[in-house]
Amino acid sequence: MQGNLPLLKKNNLKNQEKILILGIETSCDDTCASVVEDGKVILSNVIASQHEIHGKYGGVVPELASRRHVEAIDIIINEALLQAKIKMSQISAVSVSNRPGLIGSLLVGVGAAKAISYSKKIPFMAVNHLKAHLFSNFLEVPEMGPCFTGLIVSGGHTSLYSVGQNWEIKEVGHTVDDAAGEAFDKIARFLGLGYPGGPVIDRLASKGNPSRFEMPRPMIESGDLNFSFSGLKTALIYKTKKEPKILDENNIADLVASFQDAIVDVLVHKTFKACRQSGFEKILVSGGVAANSRLRSMFAQKADSEGIKLYIPPIKLCMDNAAMVACLGYYDYIAGNFSDLSVEVYSRSDI
Ligand code: KG4
Ligand code: ZN
């Protein structure tokens, strides 16, 4: 599992002053468009969430997601241009997530990007959504260099990467079952707290005691850098079946705080272990679960005590967004890595 980050320098573009990339993101249940200047200045970052549509089902319904993307995509792209005060004719190139994700959803964004590229005669870059999450950190710190450990922790993925001297990316660990965000979503659904589960558990947990209920730390001593979150979910469900009163109003905040703490504990443990093993001094965290307040404070504390530099993007850039897609597209653009209009979409993909 290897991939090269594009060269972080401008090639053959001496005459062009500003590079404006239109980013499009539709891999799951958010229709997103953004205009980013020179890979770092976010001129607009529009996100149309579908949470209301999927909330009542407790998870994303792929068919409904793609239909909503079709309805929203033109409006959201126009809104991104409007907010950026940029005309389509000023856009240098268009960048879009084409993998991994829901096929029907990806097709909408990729179709829109291809149409813009073809009609406006501008280059088009199809990028990896996971790599774009990693690149959300580059929006804040464009001068970021190798080497670092990257943790991508979202609704669909929980993976650890080692990014070496020549920008080679190697996956060093991944979840063997549920992703961390998936565990948050499933437990929120079980407790009837709504969708998406992460933010609502985060809020409720802030009023709870994370040490009140004992929760397992799955695979924390497994010796490798993999994760497992489905057993933790089962442990919580089992606890509530055995002792239904822990679902009472007075106990539930402690329960979700203890559950959240177990997830964060394992993520911190394995990420710093990966960093130590690689001999690196930097950790980048991204993906929707990186918005979690407990995760942010525990990673910060550990980084402080271990003398590691920690980068986590602002909350809006942790979740799915098109600014990260435009940012990654910028580096492809300056390296001349353009995609062909025949490029396809993929539900699964390594970085
Ligand atoms: O990166 P993302 O927006 O979409 C995917 O690519 O999956 O991540 C969405 C996931 C959901 O599972 C959601 O519950 C979780 O991120 N999430 C959180 C928080 N905000 C979003 N998990 C824990 N705490 C949060 N504050
Ligand atoms: Zn994502």
Side-chain angles (χ1 to χ4, degrees), residues 303-348:
D304 233 27
S305 70
E306 301 235 342
I308 297 284
K309 276 200 145 189
L310 173 71
Y311 300 88
I312 309 183
I315 288 174
K316 196 170 179 197
L317 296 177
C318 288
M319 316 289 197
D320 284 353
N321 68 86
M324 66 184 193
V325 174
C327 175
L328 174 55
Y330 165 80
Y331 291 106
D332 273 345
Y333 180 80
I334 59 177
N337 291 337
F338 304 139
S339 300
D340 194 271
L341 284 176
S342 64
V343 79
E344 294 184 23
V345 299
Y346 303 91
S347 60
R348 289 167 174 273

Side-chain angles (χ1 to χ4, degrees), residues 16 19-24 33-35 73-95 109 111-123:
Q16 201 163 352
I19 296 167
L20 294 167
I21 306 289
L22 171 66
I24 299 175
S34 164
V35 179
I73 189 78
D74 284 352
I75 300 166
I76 297 307
I77 290 173
N78 283 330
E79 183 60 27
L81 292 168
L82 208 68
Q83 286 187 17
K85 300 188 173 59
I86 294 290
K87 295 193 198 80
M88 187 67 94
S89 57
Q90 294 171 271
I91 293 291
S92 318
V94 54
S95 175
K114 284 180 179 178
I116 293 167
S117 166
Y118 183 74
S119 60
K120 303 293 168 195
K121 299 184 175 49
I122 55 175

Side-chain angles (χ1 to χ4, degrees), residues 27-73:
S27 66
C28 189
D29 61 341
D30 293 310
T31 317
C32 317
S34 164
V35 179
V36 172
E37 183 184 311
D38 288 338
K40 58 184 179 212
V41 186
I42 303 175
L43 301 183
S44 64
N45 191 15
V46 183
I47 301 173
S49 158
Q50 300 181 2
H51 294 165
E52 259 177 47
I53 297 173
H54 304 290
K56 55 178 173 287
Y57 303 102
V60 180
V61 182
E63 178 64 23
L64 295 181
S66 48
R67 284 188 202 191
R68 185 68 191 126
H69 284 310
V70 171
E71 288 161 6
I73 189 78

